[in-house]
Amino acid sequence: MIRNLNIVLIFTSVLMLSGVYTLKFSIEHTASERTALAELIDSQEGDLSVLKADEAVLNQPGHIEPIVKRHQEVLALGPVMQKQFGTFADLKMRPAQPDNAALDALLRSLDAGVDPIEAILTLEGIE
């Protein structure tokens, strides 16, 4: 009986030991992946800061102005004029009172059982 118990305990110990080593290697692999991702993120953040610096240099008016002057005739570029913008007076205002007569007529015809779409189609001869 004790011999069988010892065999079971040895077998269980071996299984537990292999489980611990498997867990250890899994954690080491995860840690190395995390380290690689952190290095990649750092590299990409460095690239991003360089790109932002390049964009800031390229968007300066002193850099853009010679390019605009060089291509002004081809692109027909000019300063923005006040007349290019509209005024509030140009906007159409809403009607003072909405026209409810057409909607009321439609609702009355629907209540009476008349299909207005069918009436339009028969007038046009599509039916």
Side-chain angles (χ1 to χ4, degrees):
M1 174 80 174
I2 292 182
R3 183 175 177 182
N4 290 337
L5 180 63
N6 284 338
I7 292 173
V8 169
L9 289 177
I10 289 173
F11 182 69
T12 306
S13 298
V14 169
L15 281 176
M16 292 295 182
L17 183 64
S18 65
V20 167
Y21 276 113
T22 304
L23 182 64
K24 175 191 173 213
F25 290 127
S26 172
I27 290 172
E28 286 177 354
H29 178 66
T30 304
S32 65
E33 284 181 349
R34 182 193 173 281
T35 304
L37 284 175
E39 290 173 358
L40 178 65
I41 290 171
D42 289 342
S43 169
Q44 288 180 347
E45 285 177 348
D47 293 344
L48 184 63
S49 65
V50 168
L51 289 174
K52 284 182 179 179
D54 287 345
E55 180 187 20
V57 168
L58 294 175
N59 284 336
Q60 290 179 354
H63 180 76
I64 295 174
E65 186 177 5
I67 298 171
V68 170
K69 285 183 179 179
R70 193 171 43 227
H71 300 287
Q72 189 169 9
E73 292 177 14
V74 176
L75 297 175
L77 296 175
V80 177
M81 306 298 252
Q82 180 65 32
K83 64 182 179 182
Q84 291 175 310
F85 298 102
T87 63
F88 285 113
D90 297 336
L91 296 175
K92 294 184 180 181
M93 301 306 286
R94 293 183 182 173
Q97 293 292 330
D99 182 19
N100 292 334
L103 182 60
D104 291 338
L106 175 65
L107 293 175
R108 280 194 300 272
S109 65
L110 288 174
D111 287 340
V114 177
D115 185 9
I117 302 296
E118 182 180 354
I120 293 171
L121 292 177
T122 54
L123 287 176
E124 295 178 0
I126 296 176
E127 199 176 313

